[in-house]
Amino acid sequence: MLIVEELHMLLLRPDGRVESAVSGNRLYGEVAAVLVDLALHGRISFSHEKHPTVDIVLTEPTGNPILDTTLQRLVPMRGKRLQSLVVSPKLDPLEVVVESLVVQGVLVRGERGFFGWGSERTPESDPAPELVLRSRLAAVLAGTGAPTQADLSLLSILQNLNAARAILRAECGDISARDLKKRIEQLTAGSPAGDAVAKAVNDAIAAAMVAIMTPVIVAATIT
């Protein structure tokens, strides 16, 4: 299962709605996750500049509809800064991710909101994959399991969305939000595998979040 698919499972409540902690930021996390997936599959690379850009390494299809759809959308955007791509609705993988999870039997298509308005709900049909994933992340946070690149990417993305503590309540135990942040930073800093990819994506999400939150902070200060 791709990192973006695992992230989507974490961000959904059992009733098929996105967790309130990330309701406004889901896009940034899932775009970042699918870009990590593409990088790990050798299709894109990130420059080593302070504000990294994204280049296409291979346009050959992977055979995975999520990766191939995103890659096609990304081709005309090659050379753009990662920070701008993370916030681009054009790269939102939501539809293909949901379709993939439905095909796998993890999610099922449900109803929309009142009177057919609102987005379609996709409640959980098979809880087993998410339970395995959460058990894996709990072991990583507790230090009893060796983290994979997927684990580190998921933890980093959740932390950069300021949602790690809210999404991983049970897996964190009594760890405070501050200690959880330190723990995730410790884990990601100590991993030699994929550091360049992780750092580039983490920096992009962090910068995007600052850009998004700054107007809100300024408005609050003025009022």
Side-chain angles (χ1 to χ4, degrees):
M1 190 175 286
L2 296 176
I3 295 172
V4 68
E5 291 176 292
E6 293 189 325
L7 179 65
H8 190 72
M9 288 193 300
L10 292 173
L11 300 187
L12 279 186
R13 299 187 325 207
D15 66 358
R17 292 181 180 275
V18 176
E19 287 279 2
S20 58
V22 291
S23 59
N25 302 329
R26 178 205 57 79
L27 169 70
Y28 319 130
E30 294 196 1
V31 172
V34 76
L35 291 178
V36 172
D37 281 319
L38 282 170
L40 294 178
H41 281 76
R43 293 309 189 269
I44 66 174
S45 64
F46 305 122
S47 70
H48 299 289
E49 303 164 313
K50 181 178 180 181
H51 300 291
T53 57
V54 175
D55 193 20
I56 309 295
V57 177
L58 284 175
T59 56
E60 180 182 351
T62 65
N64 182 292
I66 298 173
L67 297 181
D68 294 342
T69 298
T70 306
L71 186 60
Q72 289 177 358
R73 295 171 178 173
L74 193 59
V75 168
M77 306 169 78
R78 68 193 310 166
K80 289 195 172 185
R81 287 185 176 181
L82 180 57
Q83 180 182 343
S84 65
L85 295 179
V86 166
V87 299
S88 174
K90 293 180 180 179
L91 293 179
D92 190 352
L94 179 61
E95 291 184 10
V96 281
V97 169
V98 168
E99 178 60 26
S100 175
L101 291 174
V102 168
V103 169
Q104 294 176 62
V106 177
L107 302 179
V108 63
R109 295 190 182 279
E111 300 178 352
R112 295 182 182 274
F114 292 112
F115 305 110
W117 293 93
S119 58
E120 181 184 56
R121 298 182 190 180
T122 51
E124 197 171 62
S125 176
D126 179 7
E130 183 177 354
L131 290 175
V132 171
L133 169 60
R134 287 184 175 276
S135 177
R136 198 178 81 210
L137 293 178
V140 169
L141 290 172
T144 60
T148 64
Q149 183 58 52
D151 297 334
L152 297 176
S153 297
L154 288 168
L155 291 173
S156 294
I157 289 172
L158 289 175
Q159 184 57 52
N160 275 294
L161 293 178
N162 296 317
R165 187 69 180 81
I167 299 297
L168 303 174
R169 299 180 194 91
E171 292 70 30
C172 293
D174 296 329
I175 302 176
S176 67
R178 178 180 296 180
D179 288 341
L180 177 60
K181 181 176 185 294
K182 290 180 180 178
R183 176 62 177 150
I184 292 175
E185 289 175 346
Q186 179 187 42
L187 285 166
T188 54
S191 172
D195 272 350
V197 173
K199 185 179 185 306
V201 172
N202 288 345
D203 289 350
I205 298 177
M209 293 302 294
V210 169
I212 292 162
M213 291 303 295
T214 297
V216 176
I217 295 171
V218 171
T221 303
I222 293 174
T223 55

